[in-house]
Amino acid sequence: MPMRIAGKIALSCIGFGFWGCRLATHESPMPVSLAQQRLDKPDTEDLAAFLVEWHPQDWRAHLARALAARNSAERHDALTAALWLKPREPLLLYVAALDRLAAHALVDDSVALWYLEEAMGSDPGNGVLDLTRAVAWTRLGRIHEARAVFRETRGFPVADLYGARVEQALLGVLELGLRLNPYDLIRAEEWYRNLPLPPIQEWSEALEKIFLDPLREHPDDMRRGRESARGLYRLGRGLQTRSLNPDRIFSDGREERLLGLMLEAKAADFLVHYAAAFGGDPNLDFQGMKSLRPRLRNALRVAAVPPPDWDHFLAEWKRIGEKYPTLTIGEASEKLRGEMTWRKVLRLRTHP
């Protein structure tokens, strides 16, 4: 019986190209044309387009194409193709919503709201989606709907900015396309850096409108908004907690920590105003509120640079290129295989 079961598993692995049977990622043999190219010669290959050409039915390939896009029209087309293949994927819906919000047009803001509503159906309770929806309502000048988002929530039980999901998708499509090697990993990191992130300053101003500006003349609304502010504070804490993911490659979660600290600071501002209007201790049950500003400034500074392991990986590649410009890409990649970042990649699991 055990042999029969093992045989079925083996046949399943063969039938599905071993996908999902691997416990970790597997380095791909580098294409000969790429491996023999010298470092001092420009690389003109469009890797994202290559992945789409060979795997047009994989939504992750189109996501890579969207993140590598050179203009908004190309990015929109790639996201549309990805959503056609996986219409309920919250990551795609969230990225599409941020892309529309970046256009700063009323029509695009309305489409962004639709994307966010769809994403919430697949990822209910994600406070990041709720918060983005509230910002979109504010952009449309509908503050009451924005405040209703906070009244409808139950403390934002989930906090996910989808950074880890994007990394998993990009590494997975590189492996599927037989392009998982140290050199192409660097190109995938460039795609990751193009992931649209919430504009901190705009979100900060939107939260002030939601919580503070209209409420100074309506103290009763401030009373009702206290629980919403507490929920926002917990969302900020949740983002920071979720950012502590040891399996991240391109980031160590500093983007999530920055947004989380900003949300904590805005919630603290509201609670201070509440205490001024009604009396009481503004700190309530929140400890360390006075340290938020210095921590936020430090997070802004840290967010501008790559994490140490990845920074060392890039620095080593640059050093090799400067010291040995006549090496081929294959030979230079061989020198990176001992790097901690690359060893970490090979320990990860990817999923379709």
Side-chain angles (χ1 to χ4, degrees), residues 259-293:
L259 180 60
L261 280 169
M262 187 274 285
L263 299 182
E264 280 189 88
K266 282 300 163 187
D269 283 344
F270 177 86
L271 292 169
V272 168
H273 279 79
Y274 177 89
F278 299 104
D281 181 5
N283 289 293
L284 299 174
D285 54 337
F286 305 130
Q287 300 299 319
M289 200 172 279
K290 292 181 180 179
S291 68
L292 281 174
R293 295 300 175 185

Side-chain angles (χ1 to χ4, degrees), residues 310-321 335-336 339:
W310 183 257
D311 193 39
H312 186 272
F313 190 79
L314 292 179
E316 184 63 15
W317 178 263
K318 183 179 179 181
R319 185 193 69 79
I320 293 171
K335 293 180 178 293
L336 289 179
E339 287 290 312

Side-chain angles (χ1 to χ4, degrees), residues 19-20 110 123 133 206-207 211 306 326:
W19 189 258
S110 299
D123 190 8
R133 188 163 58 108
L207 287 170
F211 282 111
T326 59

Side-chain angles (χ1 to χ4, degrees), residues 91 94 126 128 159-164 166 195 197-198 203 239 242 255-256 259:
L91 162 62
Y94 175 66
N126 188 351
V128 172
D160 191 358
L161 206 56
Y162 299 117
V166 172
L195 177 68
L197 294 172
W203 279 34
L239 277 170
R242 195 179 181 92
E255 301 93 346
E256 287 91 340
L259 180 60

Side-chain angles (χ1 to χ4, degrees), residues 89-263:
E89 171 57 48
L91 162 62
L92 293 176
L93 292 163
Y94 175 66
V95 171
L98 287 184
D99 184 57
R100 288 303 185 109
L101 288 173
H104 290 277
L106 290 178
V107 173
D108 291 291
D109 292 342
S110 299
V111 174
L113 275 170
W114 182 84
Y115 281 136
L116 292 167
E117 295 285 354
E118 290 293 303
M120 290 173 64
S122 300
D123 190 8
N126 188 351
V128 172
L129 298 176
D130 277 313
L131 183 58
T132 310
R133 188 163 58 108
V135 172
W137 281 124
T138 306
R139 288 267 294 269
L140 293 169
R142 298 169 68 173
I143 301 297
H144 291 294
E145 283 86 347
R147 275 194 265 161
V149 169
F150 289 89
R151 289 198 296 270
E152 292 165 4
T153 63
R154 299 182 184 274
F156 301 110
V158 182
D160 191 358
L161 206 56
Y162 299 117
R165 175 71 168 150
V166 172
E167 285 193 14
Q168 185 186 66
L170 294 180
L171 292 174
V173 78
L174 284 181
E175 186 180 22
L176 177 65
L178 300 180
R179 297 302 295 265
L180 189 63
N181 58 70
Y183 176 70
D184 287 324
L185 182 70
I186 293 175
R187 294 203 275 184
E189 189 265 350
E190 294 174 358
W191 303 338
Y192 177 85
R193 296 296 164 205
N194 292 330
L195 177 68
L197 294 172
I200 298 294
Q201 185 59 38
E202 182 186 354
W203 279 34
S204 176
E205 294 171 358
L207 287 170
E208 287 201 10
K209 290 180 181 178
I210 294 170
F211 282 111
L212 299 178
D213 287 354
L215 304 180
R216 292 191 176 97
E217 294 80 23
H218 304 285
D220 289 341
D221 288 341
M222 288 189 75
R223 219 183 264 278
R224 290 196 297 268
R226 183 174 61 168
E227 289 306 313
S228 296
R230 285 174 166 169
L232 186 69
Y233 194 92
R234 287 191 291 269
L235 174 60
R237 281 288 177 89
L239 277 170
Q240 294 177 74
T241 301
R242 195 179 181 92
S243 72
L244 304 175
N245 183 346
D247 291 334
R248 298 286 292 272
I249 300 296
F250 302 139
S251 173
D252 58 2
R254 54 192 59 197
E255 301 93 346
E256 287 91 340
R257 288 192 289 277
L258 174 59
L259 180 60
L261 280 169
M262 187 274 285
L263 299 182

